[in-house]
Structure formats: C-alpha cells, structure tokens
Amino acid sequence: MSLHARMVDGVPEETARVARAAFPKGSLAMRIRDELGELFSDADFADLYPSRGKPAWSPGRLALVSVMQFAEGLSDRQAADAVRGRLDWKYLLGLELADPGFDHSVLTEFRDRLISGDAGIKLLDQVLQAAAKHGLLKAGGRARTDSTIVLAAARQINGLVRLGETLRAALNSVAAHEPEWLATWVPSDWFDRYAIRFEDTRLPKGKAKQAELIEQIGADGLTLIEAVHRPDAPACLRLLQRVQTLRQMWIQQYFVDGGQVRRRDLKDRPPGAERLVTPYDTDARGSVKRGIFWDGYKVHLTETCEPDRPNLITCVATTDSTVQDVRLVAPIHAHLAERSLLPDRHLVDAGYATAREVVTARRDHKVDLVGPILASTSWQTKDAEAFSQADFTIDWDNRRVTCPNGKTSTSWREERSQHGAAVVRARFSMTACRPCKDREQCTRGGTKSDMSRRLTLRPQAEQEVIQQARAQQETQEWKEQYAHRAGVEGTISQGVRAFGLRRCRYSGLAKARLQHQLTATAMNFHRLNAWWTDIPRALTRTSHLAALRPTE
C-alpha cells in the first residue's frame, strides 16, 4: 500500500454541527481536537509506506485511532466500529458523517509499520510538542520515574509443560507447512503425546516418572531437529520460527551423554537474561521482585510533577524482566535531552539511585538525581561501637587512608570490581593492626595472615556523593523534597487499573514496547482532558481510623 497524503482541511461543517449538538459539553475526543488541533499528519509517517501501490487509509488518522483505542480500552474491531459510528470520533478525525471508515485489520497492519520503522515514539512526542506549544510542558522543574512488572501475553507454564509445549508448537508448525512430509515418518505414539496441550493432559506425579517423561520429550525433540536438517527434508522447515525456538530451547535444556538425551542441571543452564520461558514469546524472561515471580517485561514511566501544569508522561521505556532499574537512568536522560525535556531534579527510588548514576547525571546533563542511597551492609555499620568506613579519613591527593587511631594505610590500588566497576582498595599493614587495642571493633580477620583492615572505596566523586547523600537523607528538608516521588505510584496504579499496563496485548518485546508507547500517549490524553475540565488531582487515600489521628 502507498501513501497519498491528504489535505488538512479541518472538521467538516456538518460533522461539527451534529457532534456539538450531541455533545454540548464536549468529550475527550472533541476536546483533544479543539485544544491541540491536527496532532498527526500523513507526512509524519511517509517513510513507512512505499511510493507505489494501492492508496492506504490516512496514517495520521490511524495514529489518532490507535491512541484513542488505548484511551478507551477497545479492541481493533471496536475501534473500527467507533470510527464508523461515533460522532465524537468523527469530529476528532475530521471525517464526514457518512465516511465508512476502514476494516479493523488495518490497525494491525499499521502497528506492524510503526514497529518496523520504530515510529511508535513519534505519537508520544507529537502530543508532548503540542502540549509544550500551549505552555503545558517545559524543561526543568521536577520529574519522577518508577517501573512495574508486565506479564507476557503467553500463559505462564512450568518446566515440564514448557518443554512439551515447545515440541508441540514446533510439530504443529511443521504439520501446517509440510503435512505430507511429516506424515511419512512421524511415530504413532507422538499423536497421543503431543496432540493436545500438555497442561490439559494427565501428567505423572512422581519425580522419577516426570524425569523419565522429560528425557522422552528431549529425545523426541532431538529426533525432529535431526529430521528437519536432513538433506531430503524441505529447506523451509529449518527457517520456521517454532523450529528455531525448539532448537534454542533444546540447547539450553538438554545435552547428549553417550547417545542418551539428558536434561541439564540447573547450574548448567543459561542465566535468566538468556533463558527462554515459553515457546510462544521468545522475548519474555522470568524474574522475581520482592517475592513476586513473573514471566514477561518491565516498563519504566517518567512524568513531570509541577503544581502549575498537568503531570505528563515524557518517557516510556520497556525492557525484559531481568534488566535492573539502574541501567535505565542514562537512557532516560538521553531520551529527554534529545527532546529538550530534561528536568532540574529527577526523583527516583533506590533501584535507580547509585553514586555512579548521580555523578553521571550531574556531569552529562546537569540533572540532580534524587533518591535514597542504600546504606552499607558491613557488620561495622550495624555495631555502634565498631569502626565503619565513615570513621576513616581519606586523603585522595596523597592516596592514603587514616584510621580513627591515627594509623595510615600502606597500600592503595585502583582496580575493577567483579562487576567491572572502578574501585580503590586500601589496606593497612599487619604491623599496625595486630597490636591495636581496637582491632576487634575494626576487623574480624582472625588468622595470622589476615589481621589487617581493608577498605574498598569508589572513585572520589562517587565516594563523596555517597557520604553526602547518606547524611542528607536523614534531614527533614530532604524527606520533604523526596516525598514528591510518591506520586508516580499513582501513575503506575492508573496505568494498571485503567489502561491494562501490566498485561501485554501482544507477544514480543517490540510489540510490548509499542503498546506501552500508545498507553502512555493515551494517559496523557486523559490528563490533558482533566486539566482542561478542572478535574482536581486525586488525594492520597486515608482510612477512617487514620483520619482520627490527633495532630501535633
């Protein structure tokens, strides 16, 4: 399909007259059109369409439909029906009353184009630019970020079912493409074993019988892999996604020992960031957070939080579930910098705030990253009479450390930690530590070869940030400043409860990312509408009992 850009000519007169008569107080869709005008033009998506072919339905209008679809929680079919039958949507899209709209499958094709061109973020950016033109958004001020778990569209399954379903999915894919070839050699007992979903069958209960079934599945899967790679097998079968997933899963889960297929021990399987958890979504990963286990992704939302403007989501980032929050700080700041939306102060929780990120944010973007720096976990910090790292004086210029009793370190080495971070390791001599009367309060090294105190320090800038942050976190001023971060929890709640943020509509990381971009844009629509109609922001809920607490 090719793009024939339409002329922007406003809302047809008859559509405007009838819509205003039907909605005298306006609606979300009509208010978006009145306040922000023509948000998306066909030219914005010109690079997603070829120059020749059948004319496509207006991509600028499809972009609006896609956002409104998420704003109202509609399916593709319901969204297409709304374009045909709802007056406020025709007003928003600038359509004639008799316009028949489009088939619902057009939305799927449009999303595929957005994904292939990585253009989903354009929709959020266009809304933010329009809000900025109307004075509702500007750089500086405060912003806050938090993340939440996202469940994959595929059902969560255990290890035995996962292996059986992977092989069953591959067999169904092969049977759909080359049924005659498969029928010539497939063993008859495979029909009983893989004809229906594994969770719908009666699986063995004993561990020994379960292990036997797992090895049987492994041997059957290896037989299929070898069959599709034989010279006489159709070459197209090797390229099937389900067959490739089968091969990847079998490499991760099985090995061949003396001609016998056996399952790998847990310690020999790949780490969680690489391990497949379902054959139906190969991008999803398993993870755990505060005792919650899930298969899927994580989404990070960054929003403004100024009292004189609406709180708008300015950045949305989607990762697999194993990516730590701290790794998103730099990408978020880079994203906001490209759009001239960097805040002066960025409020985050402990998952994002590390000394390195605080230093980097100040150096690269002049952003004050505010978040609690985790306390030291050493035993010295838990003992009031012990000497913690804070009790030592660090002389960075002369590269030495002085202990509370006046002894200086004899070793200073700049190294890398096991995670690759730059560290400084300082060590005191045994001749200074062994006779010290306070050695039991300083170090627990009990052997003759290990009686001296050792300190592991961050680079100077990071070490100073740690010391300053831990001191400031105890002040009332810092606590009042950081209290504004709590509002992002309400944003997460709104996204989960009203927009289905926590469950994927589609399979795959790319589609999950587009879903979250559309969701964030839809949430901004609602927040702008609330601002225009003077709907107050929700207050923190207080129980009846808590309301009776006497004030000091």
Side-chain angles (χ1 to χ4, degrees):
M1 303 184 78
S2 62
L3 175 61
H4 293 189
R6 62 185 172 88
M7 297 294 294
V8 178
D9 50 4
V11 182
E13 182 177 348
E14 185 65 9
T15 300
R17 184 185 68 79
V18 176
R20 292 193 184 282
F23 297 90
K25 295 183 179 180
S27 68
L28 168 66
M30 296 175 65
R31 216 166 278 119
I32 291 294
R33 179 75 190 215
D34 290 339
E35 297 289 344
L36 301 182
E38 188 88 10
L39 274 174
F40 311 116
S41 67
D42 290 350
D44 296 331
F45 307 96
D47 56 338
L48 304 182
Y49 290 82
S51 58
R52 301 179 64 183
K54 181 180 178 181
W57 212 76
S58 166
R61 285 171 171 161
L62 286 174
L64 270 176
V65 173
S66 298
V67 178
M68 288 300 299
Q69 174 185 4
F70 279 79
E72 299 190 10
L74 305 180
S75 67
D76 288 353
R77 193 180 297 273
Q78 290 170 330
D81 289 343
V83 173
R84 277 189 292 272
R86 285 180 50 176
L87 293 172
D88 56 338
W89 278 46
K90 287 185 180 294
Y91 184 95
L92 171 65
L93 300 172
L95 295 175
E96 298 285 352
L97 291 177
D99 193 294
F102 53 85
D103 185 79
H104 70 277
S105 61
V106 172
L107 286 172
T108 301
E109 188 264 348
F110 179 66
R111 286 195 300 270
D112 290 340
R113 292 184 185 276
L114 291 178
I115 292 172
S116 63
D118 195 19
I121 195 63
K122 285 184 179 180
L123 280 63
L124 179 62
D125 289 344
Q126 289 289 92
V127 173
L128 295 177
Q129 290 175 14
K133 289 179 181 178
H134 288 74
L136 301 177
L137 177 66
K138 64 180 182 179
R142 295 188 304 250
R144 53 198 179 197
T145 297
D146 201 4
S147 67
T148 188
I149 67 175
V150 179
L151 304 179
R155 61 191 184 276
Q156 192 170 16
I157 50 182
N158 62 28
L160 172 57
V161 175
R162 181 186 306 123
L163 296 172
E165 281 295 298
T166 302
L167 179 52
R168 192 179 74 86
L171 283 169
N172 279 324
S173 182
V174 172
H177 286 81
E178 294 289 342
E180 295 179 359
W181 174 83
L182 182 62
T184 59
W185 66 268
V186 63
S188 58
D189 59 333
W190 284 22
F191 294 101
D192 297 329
R193 195 175 301 139
Y194 307 111
I196 61 175
R197 288 183 177 184
F198 256 66
E199 60 262 46
D200 293 338
T201 62
R202 183 170 295 178
L203 299 174
K205 297 184 181 296
K207 290 186 177 181
K209 291 187 176 181
Q210 288 181 358
E212 182 180 345
L213 178 57
I214 287 174
E215 291 191 358
Q216 180 64 59
I217 294 171
D220 294 344
L222 184 59
T223 300
L224 178 60
I225 293 172
E226 292 175 344
V228 299
H229 284 83
R230 287 201 301 260
D232 60 336
C236 63
L237 296 181
R238 304 164 200 167
L239 303 178
L240 294 177
Q241 181 181 357
R242 299 296 192 208
V243 173
Q244 293 180 350
T245 300
L246 172 68
R247 184 174 182 275
Q248 184 179 357
M249 182 77 79
W250 257 233
I251 291 174
Q252 293 183 356
Q253 297 285 338
Y254 290 103
F255 70 100
V256 178
D257 181 19
Q260 181 73 24
V261 179
R262 302 191 183 280
R263 194 179 188 189
R264 296 182 185 274
D265 292 334
L266 184 60
K267 63 180 180 180
D268 294 330
R269 299 172 201 166
E274 302 175 9
R275 193 183 310 158
L276 299 179
V277 294
T278 174
Y280 304 112
D281 188 347
T282 56
D283 291 333
R285 294 293 181 267
S287 190
V288 57
K289 184 177 183 179
R290 301 190 188 97
I292 299 175
F293 294 83
W294 83 98
D295 293 342
Y297 308 94
K298 289 171 71 174
V299 60
H300 305 255
L301 299 180
T302 301
E303 67 172 359
T304 59
C305 50
E306 294 298 317
D308 58 341
R309 290 187 296 276
N311 295 344
L312 297 179
I313 298 172
T314 55
C315 181
V316 54
T318 307
T319 67
D320 73 63
S321 62
T322 63
V323 177
Q324 296 179 332
D325 291 351
V326 69
R327 292 177 56 186
L328 271 294
V329 176
I332 289 173
H333 286 165
H335 176 91
L336 296 177
E338 290 176 359
R339 290 151 179 80
S340 300
L341 290 176
L342 278 172
D344 295 327
R345 184 174 297 124
H346 190 182
L347 307 175
V348 296
D349 63 18
Y352 298 90
T354 66
R356 184 191 307 175
E357 300 305 326
V358 172
V359 171
T360 302
R362 289 177 183 174
R363 182 192 65 215
D364 296 347
H365 302 290
K366 296 181 175 56
V367 172
D368 186 14
L369 187 67
V370 180
I373 301 295
L374 296 178
S376 172
T377 57
S378 67
W379 68 269
Q380 290 95 337
T381 59
K382 301 174 184 178
D383 188 341
E385 297 181 357
F387 296 144
S388 66
Q389 191 177 99
D391 297 318
F392 289 73
T393 302
I394 305 171
D395 186 348
W396 295 97
D397 295 331
N398 296 311
R399 299 162 60 91
R400 66 178 176 227
V401 181
T402 304
C403 78
N405 288 334
K407 303 296 183 180
T408 59
S409 60
T410 57
S411 173
W412 178 286
R413 298 196 312 274
E414 296 180 357
E415 299 178 353
R416 292 279 176 182
S417 69
Q418 60 180 350
H419 303 294
V423 296
V424 173
R425 302 191 192 277
R427 182 175 180 177
F428 292 81
S429 66
M430 286 193 297
T431 57
C433 292
R434 183 182 298 171
C436 179
K437 59 183 178 61
D438 295 320
R439 187 171 67 84
E440 294 298 327
Q441 284 73 43
C442 188
T443 179
R444 288 178 174 174
T447 64
K448 293 183 178 181
S449 61
D450 186 17
M451 290 185 173
S452 59
R453 179 65 183 267
R454 304 177 184 182
L455 297 179
T456 300
L457 310 173
R458 301 287 183 88
Q460 182 177 0
E462 296 181 19
Q463 191 70 26
E464 291 174 351
V465 162
I466 292 175
Q467 294 175 347
Q468 294 171 3
R470 287 175 177 166
Q472 292 174 353
Q473 287 167 196
E474 302 302 321
T475 65
Q476 186 63 29
E477 179 183 0
W478 187 93
K479 293 179 181 179
E480 292 176 356
Q481 178 188 105
Y482 185 67
H484 293 285
R485 189 214 70 88
V488 75
E489 303 287 355
T491 297
I492 296 294
S493 178
Q494 180 188 22
V496 171
R497 295 174 183 272
F499 297 92
L501 185 67
R502 189 159 284 165
R503 181 171 290 279
C504 287
R505 283 191 175 199
Y506 322 106
S507 297
L509 179 59
K511 292 183 178 180
R513 182 176 291 115
L514 177 61
Q515 174 185 337
H516 298 149
Q517 292 165 347
L518 292 172
T519 299
T521 309
M523 292 174 68
N524 282 344
F525 272 17
H526 278 274
R527 291 179 172 207
L528 288 168
N529 185 57
W531 182 262
W532 292 325
T533 54
D534 297 322
I535 298 177
R537 294 169 182 167
L539 300 177
T540 302
R541 294 179 181 178
T542 304
S543 68
H544 296 293
L545 177 62
L548 298 178
R549 184 190 300 273
T551 58
E552 297 180 359

